[in-house]
């Protein structure tokens, strides 16, 4: 029984590997045609098997198989995070529970947690693509620290499993746990000399400063690659982190409900998982469809999910999709992620994305990599780390002018001690969303 079980799983992974290579060789028109071929069956599957969609899509003609185009799809209702919360934990389960391989939950930092689940087929169908992406970044000569949460999450295990398949030596440190706090991670990095680390950009920044504060030389670690995930980060901040560590940057994008949604190629382009999902972009305020090249909210529909199919799920992520062909040859379009719509800053009768403020502030010469926002004051304030203290006031004025020009909002810029920010970061699961409130908390 055990041997046959393992053989069946190995056979399934081989099938998904072969299908992945077939899809990777398609032209863009061929991939578009395949997506539309998969769509009606995916809608019919969700309607028939998911408790949620039996309710919301029960009146569909021909059981959903008439949904054969994007225009048809846009007639269907959206699925929201509130739908998932209301049906926690198994209200979207579309298979028998004994078929599940993975169960996970969101952090619950923005409301009640939501659940997610996968069959073995769901898991392998996505993981072979993660392996393919990481094989272009790492080799069997690399040692990689995986410093993102393992608890109740898919991403750490997904990356861990793919790195293992590549032949990498994996060091599963996790994050914010008692077994391996950041102080121990620093000491292990000095002793083991990893060539890669998987973490958020802000964690990479904090680790660098912990090295320096202990009198260590970060360059002696020999780090070559930062594979960052779990946090949106501006180009200016990313460049500063890359320069500090002298590393190459790669990233991935995903969600609790889906696992990976976009993965990098060897050129660093972030390619959408269009063999598993159909993607739309809408105006987050009006829900009107936008051109994919416009910045808007990402909406996805599952094309091949067994355990938890989703139909027109509003992710809450603000993105732009680019259909420019990539030199790597993949037919999949690429994506830029600008942050969560729920985390936008509401000010002066309008709103602005946090990443836009971050880019405007940290692109100013003389600023460091740390900053904190205070959107409760009038005018709103931003505390930035000033590295050119002799010209501190000129730097702060330049920050104010840069934000006003880029975002149309007048901020008051203040010089802030980065040690205060660091202390607050060490207490947070998601330090990239740091605000003045966190700095003030004891």
């Amino acid at each position: 029984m055990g041997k046959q079980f393992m053989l069946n799983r190995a056979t399934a992974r081989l099938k998904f590997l072969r299908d992945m290579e077939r899809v990777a060789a398609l032209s863009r028109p061929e991939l578009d045609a395949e997506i539309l071929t998969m769509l009606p069956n995916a809608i019919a599957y969700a309607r028939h098997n998911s408790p949620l969609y039996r309710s919301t899509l029960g009146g569909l003609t021909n059981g959903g198989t008439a949904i054969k185009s994007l225009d048809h799809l846009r007639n269907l209702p959206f699925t929201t995070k509130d739908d998932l919360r209301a049906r926690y934990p198994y209200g979207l389960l579309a298979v028998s529970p004994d078929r599940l391989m993975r169960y996970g939950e969101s952090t619950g930092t923005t409301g009640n947690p939501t659940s997610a689940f996968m069959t073995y087929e769901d898991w392998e169908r996505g993981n072979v693509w993660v392996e393919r992406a990481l094989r272009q970044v790492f080799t069997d000569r690399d040692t990689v620290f995986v410093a993102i949460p393992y608890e109740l999450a898919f991403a750490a295990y997904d990356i861990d499993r793919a790195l293992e398949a590549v032949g990498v030596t994996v060091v599963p440190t996790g994050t914010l746990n008692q077994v391996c706090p950041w102080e121990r991670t620093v000491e292990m990095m000095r002793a083991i000399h990893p060539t890669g680390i998987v973490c958020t950009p802000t964690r990479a920044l904090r680790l660098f400063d912990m090295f320096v504060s202990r009198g260590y030389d970060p360059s002696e670690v020999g780090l070559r690659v930062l594979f960052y995930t779990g946090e949106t980060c501006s180009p200016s901040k990313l460049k500063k982190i890359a320069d500090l560590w002298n590393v190459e940057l790669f990233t991935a994008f995903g969600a609790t409900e889906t696992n990976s949604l976009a993965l990098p190629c060897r050129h660093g382009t972030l390619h959408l998982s269009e063999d598993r999902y159909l993607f739309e972009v809408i105006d987050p305020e009006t829900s009107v469809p936008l051109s994919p090249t416009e910045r808007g909210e990402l909406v996805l529909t599952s094309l091949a999910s067994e355990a938890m199919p989703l139909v027109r799920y509003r992710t809450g992520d603000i993105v732009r999709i680019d259909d420019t062909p990539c030199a790597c040859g993949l037919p999949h379009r690429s994506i830029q992620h600008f942050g969560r719509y729920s985390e936008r800053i509401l000010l002066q009768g309008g709103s602005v994305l946090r990443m836009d403020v971050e880019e405007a502030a940290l692109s100013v010469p003389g600023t460091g990599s740390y900053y904190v926002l205070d959107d409760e004051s009038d005018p709103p304030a931003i505390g930035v780390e000033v590295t050119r203290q002799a010209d501190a006031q000129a730097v702060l004025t330049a920050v104010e002018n840069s934000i006003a020009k880029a975002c149309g909002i007048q901020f008051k810029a203040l010089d802030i001690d980065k040690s205060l920010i660091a202390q607050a970061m060490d207490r947070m699961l998601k330090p990239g969303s740091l605000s003045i409130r966190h700095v003030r908390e004891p």
Side-chain angles (χ1 to χ4, degrees):
M1 178 73 74
K3 288 183 179 179
Q4 187 61 48
F5 177 79
M6 295 304 295
L7 179 61
N8 290 345
R9 291 202 160 185
T11 301
R13 186 171 180 87
L14 181 60
K15 180 188 78 170
F16 290 129
L17 282 166
R18 288 172 175 165
D19 192 58
M20 175 189 68
E21 295 304 332
R22 179 190 64 80
V23 171
L26 294 177
S27 66
R28 182 67 218 184
E30 288 171 335
L31 179 56
D32 285 334
E34 182 152 320
I35 290 170
L36 292 181
T37 298
M38 298 171 72
L39 179 60
N41 290 333
I43 299 298
Y45 177 86
R47 177 192 175 278
H48 181 74
N49 293 284
S50 167
L52 169 63
Y53 296 119
R54 279 200 296 268
S55 171
T56 62
L57 303 181
L60 283 181
T61 304
N62 298 327
T65 56
I67 306 297
K68 296 181 179 181
S69 70
L70 185 54
D71 287 339
H72 292 158
L73 182 66
R74 285 172 175 162
N75 291 321
L76 302 184
F78 292 111
T79 305
T80 67
K81 196 83 167 179
D82 286 340
D83 292 323
L84 273 57
R85 291 189 180 107
R87 289 162 178 79
Y88 171 89
Y90 288 121
L92 280 88
L93 182 61
V95 297
S96 171
D98 60 9
R99 288 201 56 211
L100 292 182
M101 175 187 171
R102 291 278 176 186
Y103 175 93
E105 293 191 3
S106 64
T107 59
T109 53
T110 58
N112 292 332
T114 60
S115 54
F117 15 83
M118 293 188 180
T119 64
Y120 177 79
E121 288 75 12
D122 291 333
W123 181 264
E124 292 291 354
R125 185 179 284 109
N127 188 253
V128 293
W129 283 96
V130 179
E131 177 190 339
R132 185 183 192 276
L134 294 182
R135 198 174 289 280
Q136 298 175 73
V137 179
F138 300 108
T139 73
D140 57 6
R141 296 185 296 277
D142 283 304
T143 296
V144 177
F145 278 38
V146 180
I148 55 177
Y150 276 77
E151 301 90 339
L152 291 177
F154 293 150
Y157 288 101
D158 200 18
I159 293 171
D160 187 307
R161 173 78 180 276
L163 288 171
E164 181 182 273
V166 173
V168 168
T169 300
V170 180
V171 184
T173 62
T175 186
L176 284 189
N177 60 72
Q178 293 181 341
V179 175
C180 193
W182 290 107
E183 292 79 7
R184 182 174 181 180
T185 300
V186 168
E187 298 301 331
M188 290 176 66
M189 290 177 71
R190 288 188 73 221
I192 297 172
H193 297 283
T195 51
I197 187 169
V198 180
C199 65
T200 66
T202 303
R203 293 293 184 203
L205 177 63
R206 181 71 181 114
L207 283 170
F208 183 90
D209 285 338
M210 291 177 75
F211 267 83
V212 173
S213 68
R214 293 178 175 218
Y216 303 153
D217 181 358
S219 68
E220 293 180 355
V221 174
L223 206 61
R224 181 180 65 82
V225 171
L226 166 60
F227 193 96
Y228 67 93
T229 187
E231 181 182 292
T232 310
C233 199
S234 67
S236 289
K237 185 174 179 179
L238 286 172
K239 184 179 186 308
K240 291 179 179 186
I241 295 170
D243 289 345
L244 286 173
W245 278 106
N246 190 28
V247 292
E248 195 172 3
L249 300 178
F250 292 89
T251 189
F253 167 65
T256 299
E257 299 80 14
T258 61
N259 217 2
S260 62
L261 289 173
L263 295 163
C265 68
R266 63 182 179 274
H267 299 287
T269 303
L270 196 56
H271 290 277
L272 285 165
S273 302
E274 292 185 279
D275 54 300
R276 294 188 294 127
Y277 295 95
L278 183 152
F279 296 98
E280 305 173 67
V281 178
I282 64 168
D283 185 307
E285 289 287 342
T286 66
S287 303
V288 171
L290 299 175
S291 162
T293 57
E294 295 181 85
R295 190 192 280 198
E297 182 181 359
L298 185 69
V299 176
L300 62 85
T301 295
S302 308
L303 296 173
S305 298
E306 290 187 330
M308 189 176 168
L310 294 168
V311 176
R312 303 201 78 201
Y313 177 61
R314 298 184 64 152
T315 64
D317 293 293
I318 303 301
V319 305
R320 180 184 293 127
I321 296 175
D322 188 352
D323 58 7
T324 303
C326 180
C328 75
L330 277 178
H332 306 65
R333 295 173 297 172
S334 63
I335 187 173
Q336 290 176 279
H337 185 213
F338 299 98
R340 303 279 299 167
Y341 186 65
S342 61
E343 294 177 356
R344 70 195 186 284
I345 305 165
L346 302 174
L347 296 168
Q348 300 174 5
S351 66
V352 62
L353 291 177
R354 183 187 183 98
M355 195 178 85
D356 291 336
V357 177
E358 176 180 295
E359 174 62 20
L362 300 189
S363 64
V364 173
T367 59
S369 303
Y370 289 92
Y371 76 100
V372 63
L373 294 174
D374 182 2
D375 56 3
E376 298 175 358
S377 62
D378 187 16
I382 181 169
V384 294
E385 173 197 3
V386 176
T387 58
R388 210 165 61 199
Q389 283 296 319
D391 301 315
Q393 189 52 56
V395 171
L396 295 175
T397 299
V399 167
E400 293 172 353
N401 293 338
S402 180
I403 296 175
K405 181 178 180 180
C407 305
I409 297 176
Q410 192 63 52
F411 273 74
K412 175 65 176 176
L414 307 168
D415 189 1
I416 191 167
D417 184 349
K418 74 175 182 179
S419 66
L420 297 176
I421 300 177
Q423 292 170 20
M425 284 170 51
D426 289 346
R427 300 190 297 265
M428 296 182 65
L429 181 63
K430 296 183 176 181
S433 58
L434 189 74
S435 73
I436 195 69
R437 172 176 55 84
H438 300 108
V439 174
R440 290 170 177 163
E441 289 175 351

